[in-house]
Amino acid sequence: RQAHSTLTRPSQDIPALQVSTTANPRMEVLIGKGTHRERLHQLIDQAEAYLLICSYRLEDLDIVTKIAEKARQIPVWILTDFSDQVQDRVDKTLEKGLAPNPDYGNADLKKQACLRALAQAGVSFRSGQFHLKTYISEKTAYLGSCNLTGGSLGRNGEAGLLWSHTPQHQELIDYFGYLWSAKTQVTAIPSPIGWQVRSISRPNRGAPPPITLLDAYGVKQDLDRELQRFAQNPQGRLRIYTRNFDPTFHQINLLRHLQPQIFCVHYNTSPLGCRAVPILHFKVILLGDQTAYHGSQDFSFGQGCFVELTYKTQKADEVRLIALNLCNLD
């Protein structure tokens, strides 16, 4: 790994990309265990103009190889978390033959294989504190909980929404472009000796105005308001599906009186009871039949600085469709 150098201009700028308005708009809900691999394969295979890929982790060689092959045909832009800590573990520890950290060793070996596949195809990528998972072509856009890992694609319960030729499709494209130019920290470029990692000079560019998609700060503010309204006039059940449950003190006080159903797998920092669901990785909140939140953000607002993205809908048909796909976990 070479020393960082500053780029005066970001490389591989993303041009203005527009969704076709002549095709029929469509939304699909994808929730379950082992449901995502085939659908994401289709998204990648059917892309004819470009691919925009953002995954917190890149560890599934099968699908990363498919992305690398597609990059030989069309432009592909990739965002992931490749921090100094990850680089040190993957590029140095493993290459020097040292015993890997048992907490990360297997995952780092998978990352190394995926990075090798990208390097062989000449695919560079950018790194930042990205926890959102979105995969976009000119035909379809995905937003949800599924990382490009074997666990997400095969073993975990994951949830995602797919849009084709809708405002959300265009909104995801625009937001990805903002992250690429304004929220990346380094670019990793393949070279004959590995990866050249260079710092990026980022423009002072504001985020696109939210329409239906909320960042981590926006979803917290919005959720607090909706919980307050729901507490005044509860209609139906309040259901929370999250890997980690770390509500704020204010949220705990609101939730105490609402008796929510909380499905959680990893940790619960609150005094509220949760139902353990071992395979659960997705992040969905349902306020009766009125409001749904669906995306990459856990119900975890105590701390954190990752880039997240959540879709909020109050369309009755969409809320019902999401609820229907969750019924097998109740």
Side-chain angles (χ1 to χ4, degrees), residues 27-31 36 159-162 294 317-318 321-326:
M27 187 189 87
E28 177 185 348
V29 178
L30 190 64
I31 297 177
H36 280 61
L161 299 174
L162 296 114
H294 192 301
D317 58 336
E318 293 184 353
L321 185 58
I322 293 170
L324 181 63
N325 280 271
L326 288 167

Side-chain angles (χ1 to χ4, degrees), residues 135-256:
Y135 314 111
I136 310 166
S137 76
E138 77 283 2
K139 297 178 180 178
T140 308
Y142 169 96
L143 176 68
S145 65
C146 184
N147 289 302
L148 299 186
T149 66
S152 278
L153 294 165
R155 298 185 298 275
N156 297 340
E158 304 286 355
L161 299 174
L162 296 114
W163 293 282
S164 296
H165 311 289
T166 66
Q168 292 78 23
H169 189 169
Q170 184 65 56
E171 195 174 353
L172 277 171
I173 290 172
D174 295 341
Y175 196 77
F176 188 100
Y178 157 71
L179 295 179
W180 181 269
S181 65
K183 289 295 181 179
T184 48
Q185 298 167 342
V186 300
T187 184
I189 303 170
S191 73
I193 59 172
W195 290 90
Q196 294 181 342
V197 181
R198 301 177 182 175
S199 299
I200 299 172
S201 295
R202 297 180 295 183
N204 185 15
R205 174 183 171 186
I211 303 172
T212 58
L213 302 179
L214 302 168
D215 63 15
Y217 176 78
V219 75
K220 176 186 177 298
Q221 300 300 109
D222 191 273
L223 180 58
D224 285 353
R225 289 191 296 268
E226 292 297 340
L227 285 173
Q228 189 70 51
R229 293 192 188 104
F230 191 75
Q232 295 169 357
N233 184 26
Q235 297 180 21
R237 293 181 296 167
L238 171 57
R239 287 177 282 173
I240 299 169
Y241 301 82
T242 181
R243 182 174 183 265
N244 306 319
F245 187 61
D246 185 19
T248 65
F249 182 75
H250 175 64
Q251 290 167 343
I252 291 172
N253 285 337
L254 285 172
L255 293 172
R256 283 183 191 276

Side-chain angles (χ1 to χ4, degrees), residues 51-71:
L51 276 175
L52 309 176
I53 303 291
C54 184
S55 177
Y56 176 51
R57 295 161 65 185
L58 298 173
E59 296 174 14
D60 187 85
L61 185 58
D62 167 65
I63 206 159
V64 171
T65 298
K66 184 172 287 290
I67 293 168
E69 291 170 351
K70 182 61 72 168

Side-chain angles (χ1 to χ4, degrees), residues 129 216-217 246 297 300-308:
Q129 293 177 303
Y217 176 78
D246 185 19
Q297 172 75 52
S300 180
F301 301 102
Q303 58 183 352
C305 54
F306 281 105
V307 176
E308 307 275 7

